[in-house]
Amino acid sequence: MTDYSIPQPTSGDIVDLITADHRLLEDLMRAMRDESADREAARVAFSDLLVAHSEAEEDNVYPKLKSKKVIDGEEEEHGEEEHAATNEALLKLLQAKGTDTQKFEDALEGVAEVLNHHIGEEELSILNPAREDASEELRQELGTQWLVKRNELLESGAGSLENVEKIVKKAYDDGLLPNDEQPQE
Ligand SMILES: [Fe+2]
Ligand SMILES: [Fe+2]
């Protein structure tokens, strides 16, 4: 994989769309591990996609699936907590100055650990119920709505260091991350 441009479809089944993004995030993590790849370009694409993907899930997918009783409040909140933990690990990755350093590689493995866990859990506990219990019409509707938000965030460079700092700070304020771990300013 040498081209890190992120596709921006405008319609589709929400389950297929989210799953395709998960595979893309996994590919980008693999590229960041590869010394012969353009790790910096992969980091930029990964950060933008991860933030846009997760924020758009929280914005309309989780709440809508909850209101249709496909998932419950606990599953929604657990997803949000995992997004917060992933964003916190992403922040460390963005704070690494270069990409050919031990600090970068350690931070990358930190993100990979929390993100791989979240992807597995989301596909099992949110996407499987959506396949089973959400109508084809609802899945298409959610797909369109999610893409509008996701693509808008991608265009706005949602994965910038400044924006990720802001999102992590808000997660602490909202109690989604344990407070004793808040980094010193
Ligand atoms: Fe996801
Ligand atoms: Fe997610």
Side-chain angles (χ1 to χ4, degrees):
M1 184 169 163
T2 48
D3 173 15
Y4 304 123
S5 60
I6 300 163
Q8 295 195 18
T10 53
S11 68
D13 178 323
I14 189 66
V15 174
D16 298 338
L17 292 165
I18 286 182
T19 309
D21 260 13
H22 289 171
R23 300 295 83 81
L24 193 51
L25 288 165
E26 288 163 355
D27 285 344
L28 288 166
M29 285 194 285
R30 219 163 283 128
M32 287 188 285
R33 285 187 197 111
D34 179 352
E35 277 180 1
S36 71
D38 184 346
R39 289 171 141 182
E40 186 53 55
R43 173 164 65 172
V44 171
F46 175 78
S47 188
D48 281 341
L49 181 60
L50 180 56
V51 172
H53 175 101
S54 314
E55 295 276 296
E57 284 176 347
E58 289 188 23
D59 198 60
N60 58 55
V61 180
Y62 290 0
K64 195 71 176 272
L65 290 176
K66 191 177 76 172
S67 78
K68 299 280 180 186
K69 303 210 178 338
V70 175
I71 61 170
D72 61 26
E74 220 170 282
E75 277 153 349
E76 179 184 37
E77 201 185 319
H78 188 66
E80 288 172 2
E81 283 168 2
E82 290 191 349
H83 287 169
T86 307
N87 288 333
E88 190 182 35
L90 172 66
L91 182 57
K92 291 200 183 94
L93 183 72
L94 297 177
Q95 284 166 340
K97 291 231 154 52
T99 54
D100 290 318
T101 63
Q102 193 61 44
K103 186 179 174 184
F104 175 83
E105 291 181 357
D106 289 346
L108 174 58
E109 282 322 288
V111 185
E113 196 180 314
V114 281
L115 181 57
N116 286 331
H117 170 83
H118 174 65
I119 285 175
E121 199 155 296
E122 187 168 84
E123 291 183 7
L124 288 168
S125 71
I126 295 179
L127 298 187
N128 272 337
R131 274 189 190 97
E132 189 86 351
D133 302 326
S135 66
E136 172 67 31
E137 192 190 354
L138 175 60
R139 295 203 307 268
Q140 290 288 336
E141 190 193 313
L142 279 175
T144 308
Q145 289 170 359
W146 178 73
L147 284 168
V148 168
K149 180 77 182 183
R150 169 194 179 273
N151 295 346
E152 195 181 281
L153 286 165
L154 282 175
E155 289 299 316
S156 76
S160 70
L161 176 62
E162 299 71 44
N163 195 45
V164 175
E165 274 169 351
K166 223 182 286 170
I167 291 170
V168 171
K169 175 156 194 324
K170 185 169 183 305
Y172 275 110
D173 294 344
D174 292 347
L176 291 167
L177 289 166
N179 241 322
D180 51 319
E181 281 178 26
Q182 178 144 29
Q184 300 301 310
E185 307 261 339

